[in-house]
Amino acid sequence: MFLVTEDLKVAVSTHHIPISQVAENISKEKIKKQIRVLNQTLIEDFCIQKPKIAVLGLNPHAGDGGVIGTEEIEIIAPAIKELSDNGILAFGPFLQTVSSNPANTKALMQFWRCIMIRGLLLSRHWLMRKV
């Protein structure tokens, strides 16, 4: 799923599944595939020559160094590193709140989220600020 406004683009990883199943439905390979597709889409369809993609964590506080969850350490960060090593400008995992800070959204206008509802909330929050 890809949510698009004039100023913001949000891709989400999981779709219409219970929150209890989100962690088991993400993997390093799935993240890499989705972000590669997102990167190519931003280049080809939105004419963004070098997209900067902010990858947001799954857990509160992006896992807080493994205290709240280990998906960021074990799955998300290694996927980002491999993508970065292959020339994709992917950064993170960031706290969920990074995407609601206007200074961050000006620098990183493309976000990838693990959870669909958080992506929808980000898009709605962004649109409401513009009204």
Side-chain angles (χ1 to χ4, degrees), residues 12 80-81 103 109 120 122 124:
V12 295
I80 295 168
K81 174 148 180 21
M109 297 307 293
L120 294 171
L122 168 60
R124 183 173 183 206

Side-chain angles (χ1 to χ4, degrees), residues 5 7 25 37 45 59 63 97 125:
T5 71
D7 299 318
N25 278 282
V37 169
D45 298 332
N59 295 297
T97 55
H125 172 75

Side-chain angles (χ1 to χ4, degrees), residues 5 10 12 14 19 28 38 41 60 66 76 83 88 97 102-103 112 114 123:
T5 71
V10 180
V12 295
T14 58
I19 195 89
K28 187 170 82 167
L38 172 61
T41 298
I76 301 171
L83 290 163
I88 292 178
T97 55
W112 178 90
C114 295
S123 298

Side-chain angles (χ1 to χ4, degrees), residues 38-123:
L38 172 61
N39 188 68
Q40 199 62 34
T41 298
L42 294 167
I43 292 168
E44 292 177 2
D45 298 332
F46 293 92
C47 301
I48 300 171
Q49 291 181 6
K50 292 186 179 184
K52 296 176 186 172
I53 301 170
V55 181
L56 304 177
L58 170 65
N59 295 297
H61 307 286
D64 204 11
V67 174
I68 301 174
T70 59
E71 290 84 3
E72 287 79 8
I73 295 168
E74 296 172 358
I75 300 170
I76 301 171
I80 295 168
K81 174 148 180 21
E82 287 185 30
L83 290 163
S84 295
D85 289 348
N86 288 296
I88 292 178
L89 300 176
F91 306 93
F94 291 108
L95 303 174
Q96 298 291 330
T97 55
V98 76
S99 59
S100 59
N101 181 332
N104 295 329
T105 53
K106 287 181 191 286
L108 296 162
M109 297 307 293
Q110 292 73 230
F111 292 93
W112 178 90
R113 299 201 119 170
C114 295
I115 303 172
M116 183 187 78
I117 191 64
R118 288 187 180 159
L120 294 171
L121 290 173
L122 168 60
S123 298

